[in-house]
Amino acid sequence: MIFVTGDCHSEFKKLSTASFPVQKEMTKKDIVIVCGDFGAVWDAGMSPTEKYWLDWLDEKPFTTVFVDGNHENFDRLNSEFETVDFHGGKAHKINESVYHLMRGEIFDFEGKSFFVFGGASSHDIDDGILSRKDFKSESEFKETIRRWNKHGKIFRVENISWWKEELPSDDEIANAEKNLAAVGFEVDNVITHCAPQSVVQQLFNGSIPPDKLTVYFEDLSHRLKFGKWFFGHYHDDKNTDKFELLYDRVLRV
């Protein structure tokens, strides 16, 4: 069995037995896919909360896999975990039954092909992104964070709560193009965090601006033959044509 769901942000109760009872029939050969903002690799180091949830997922009868969202600690995600061959593609092994599916890879789950590509632009940075390098001292940097929090500013902090790697490199896009060319630009399913720009416009009336990734996905959506395209990021549950926006829903593929 294969299931797919939306953002978790290190809160996995929707995968509890009470909320997701079908897991009683599942084994480690069965897959649950999270469409980004997994969130359990987030703190500066492995926190007790992260360890709890990763152990909790490891004890589940199924295997959990995820694409990265924009709210991930990319410093850790891209350096701390072993890169392994996993169901035909490259993945970071988080633990024995939790894997991060790397950008531009194609995976085979139960004979179905899944093209995956994580990342997205953060939308909760209206007041900007603070960076240590822009301040004369650590005390000035920390005082600015304190003051901005006090005044309710909407911001992130570079390499603490925001990473430039949230959007893809040219090499990651080139990897995707190479892998898709090898299968004639045809897959059964697509898993991403954000969506092609036209889908975003249709679902949200043009209120979310384009970026490098939504523009790439827009171009790709016209060149790629696929069955379903699943994505998260926008904290809602909607669908249009072949595109499924997921948040609370856990759908069987």
Side-chain angles (χ1 to χ4, degrees):
M1 290 181 275
I2 306 167
F3 290 85
V4 60
T5 190
D7 309 23
C8 291
H9 296 282
S10 198
E11 205 292 304
F12 300 97
K13 289 183 179 178
K14 65 183 169 183
L15 299 180
S16 68
T17 305
S19 298
F20 184 48
V22 71
Q23 67 187 271
K24 296 175 184 178
E25 305 168 19
M26 298 173 75
T27 72
K28 286 297 184 183
K29 292 182 179 180
D30 298 310
I31 303 290
V32 173
I33 305 170
V34 177
C35 292
D37 281 1
F38 178 70
V41 181
W42 176 254
D43 297 329
M46 182 72 73
S47 68
T49 299
E50 286 185 1
K51 184 177 187 308
Y52 170 84
W53 284 115
L54 289 173
D55 288 347
W56 185 86
L57 287 170
D58 196 29
E59 291 168 3
K60 285 292 177 183
F62 51 82
T63 295
T64 305
V65 304
F66 67 98
V67 298
D68 51 274
N70 49 303
H71 293 153
E72 317 284 2
N73 186 328
F74 289 99
D75 287 340
R76 289 183 58 203
L77 199 58
N78 293 328
S79 66
E80 186 174 321
F81 304 99
E82 178 188 9
T83 300
V84 297
D85 293 321
F86 179 74
H87 287 263
K90 298 293 184 184
H92 289 127
K93 183 178 180 180
I94 309 302
N95 64 28
E96 290 301 320
S97 55
V98 179
Y99 293 82
H100 165 232
L101 308 180
M102 296 173 69
R103 293 176 179 176
E105 295 292 305
I106 299 173
F107 297 87
D108 182 321
F109 298 133
E110 296 186 356
K112 298 177 181 178
S113 57
F114 289 77
F115 168 72
V116 312
F117 202 114
S121 287
S122 292
H123 297 143
D124 50 359
I125 53 172
D126 297 26
D127 294 305
I129 299 166
L130 295 179
S131 175
R132 276 189 172 88
K133 66 178 181 293
D134 295 328
F135 294 86
K136 295 178 182 178
S137 67
E138 184 72 8
S139 61
E140 181 186 1
F141 173 61
K142 290 181 177 179
E143 172 59 22
T144 301
I145 293 174
R146 186 197 67 78
R147 190 172 66 252
W148 281 30
N149 277 322
K150 180 180 179 180
H151 291 289
K153 287 184 175 288
I154 302 172
F155 71 102
R156 292 266 167 176
V157 181
E158 186 175 15
N159 297 327
I160 294 177
S161 58
W162 179 89
W163 285 262
K164 62 180 176 58
E165 290 87 357
E166 67 177 25
L167 287 177
S169 67
D170 291 342
D171 286 345
E172 286 172 327
I173 291 176
N175 180 58
E177 291 291 305
K178 177 195 72 176
N179 290 333
L180 288 171
V183 296
F185 282 86
E186 182 174 356
V187 294
D188 294 310
N189 298 286
V190 178
I191 305 289
T192 60
H193 188 50
C194 61
Q197 188 59 30
S198 65
V199 177
V200 177
Q201 289 174 325
Q202 184 176 352
L203 292 176
F204 301 101
N205 299 315
S207 60
I208 300 176
D211 59 50
K212 178 179 182 178
L213 194 48
T214 63
V215 170
Y216 171 61
F217 287 161
E218 180 65 26
D219 171 66
L220 182 60
S221 69
H222 297 290
R223 297 185 286 120
L224 183 64
K225 185 176 181 181
F226 62 94
K228 279 283 190 178
W229 188 312
F230 302 95
F231 60 100
H233 189 42
Y234 307 101
H235 290 202
D236 207 344
D237 288 284
K238 297 181 178 180
N239 68 285
T240 175
D241 192 21
K242 298 193 293 183
F243 297 89
E244 293 277 357
L245 166 58
L246 299 172
Y247 188 41
D248 291 320
R249 290 185 297 164
V250 183
L251 296 183
R252 185 167 181 177
V253 181

